[in-house]
Amino acid sequence: MEERELGWEDTITKDASDFILLPEGDYNFIVESFERGRHNGSEKLPPCNKAILMLRIDAPEGTAKIIHNLFLHSKTEGMLSAFFTCIGQKKKGEPLKMNWGLVPSSSGRCRVGVHAYKNKDGEDRKNNEIKKFYPKEEGPAFKAGEF
């Protein structure tokens, strides 16, 4: 179902989702979707385009969804290269014209970490974050049936 704005009188059917916090480790992922966005700029990175990825990880603890941003800037070209190598589009040492049309439903293996932060109310919270994308041909071995 496509995402959309809800009206005040709309009917809702989904139940509350259960948030899954994965322990730090290596996991297989599938890119469920991506959308094009814009980074407004920060101290570390000027304004630029960004890809907002929705990654799904099926783990023994349950299905976790992690949002990961890829910034389209020369400062972060190494991170873009790591992602595209991970999903098998880029070969080490070869240039690549990024093909975003092939990103949804692509898969790979990554290192997931746990990020601790305070929410806007000052409460301690944790979520998962992607620490590293493994190259498709060099990453820790994929196990059949892990998806």
Side-chain angles (χ1 to χ4, degrees):
M1 183 167 158
E2 188 174 313
E3 290 184 8
R4 64 182 177 83
E5 179 180 9
L6 296 174
W8 292 106
E9 304 301 322
D10 281 356
T11 300
I12 57 174
T13 57
K14 286 186 180 179
D15 292 325
S17 63
D18 292 325
F19 173 74
I20 304 282
L21 181 67
L22 296 173
E24 186 170 319
D26 297 328
Y27 296 91
N28 293 334
F29 69 86
I30 294 176
V31 180
E32 282 200 335
S33 64
F34 99 93
E35 65 182 68
R36 296 170 192 261
R38 187 87 184 143
H39 174 64
N40 293 326
S42 65
E43 284 185 25
K44 294 181 181 180
L45 191 65
C48 61
N49 291 321
K50 70 177 177 178
I52 306 163
L53 305 174
M54 175 59 75
L55 307 179
R56 185 185 85 221
I57 296 175
D58 295 317
E61 297 83 358
T63 298
K65 302 221 177 172
I66 300 174
I67 296 172
H68 183 74
N69 293 318
L70 290 174
F71 299 98
L72 280 70
H73 193 277
S74 58
K75 282 185 168 185
T76 60
E77 189 173 347
M79 292 177 211
L80 288 163
S81 182
F83 173 73
F84 280 100
T85 302
C86 178
I87 63 171
Q89 276 197 44
K90 185 175 184 320
K91 302 287 184 225
K92 188 173 183 172
E94 295 179 12
L96 172 78
K97 180 177 180 181
M98 298 178 288
N99 187 340
W100 294 100
L102 295 177
V103 169
S105 77
S106 61
S107 61
R109 190 152 177 89
C110 64
R111 167 62 89 175
V112 171
V114 176
H115 174 248
Y117 65 97
K118 289 192 183 292
N119 68 9
K120 64 182 179 183
D121 297 324
E123 299 169 323
D124 290 330
R125 298 281 188 210
K126 292 181 180 178
N127 65 4
N128 287 124
E129 63 183 354
I130 304 300
K131 297 295 230 174
K132 177 180 183 175
F133 289 108
Y134 292 110
K136 192 72 136 185
E137 66 278 356
E138 298 173 17
F142 285 86
K143 295 178 186 166
E146 274 194 342
F147 288 138

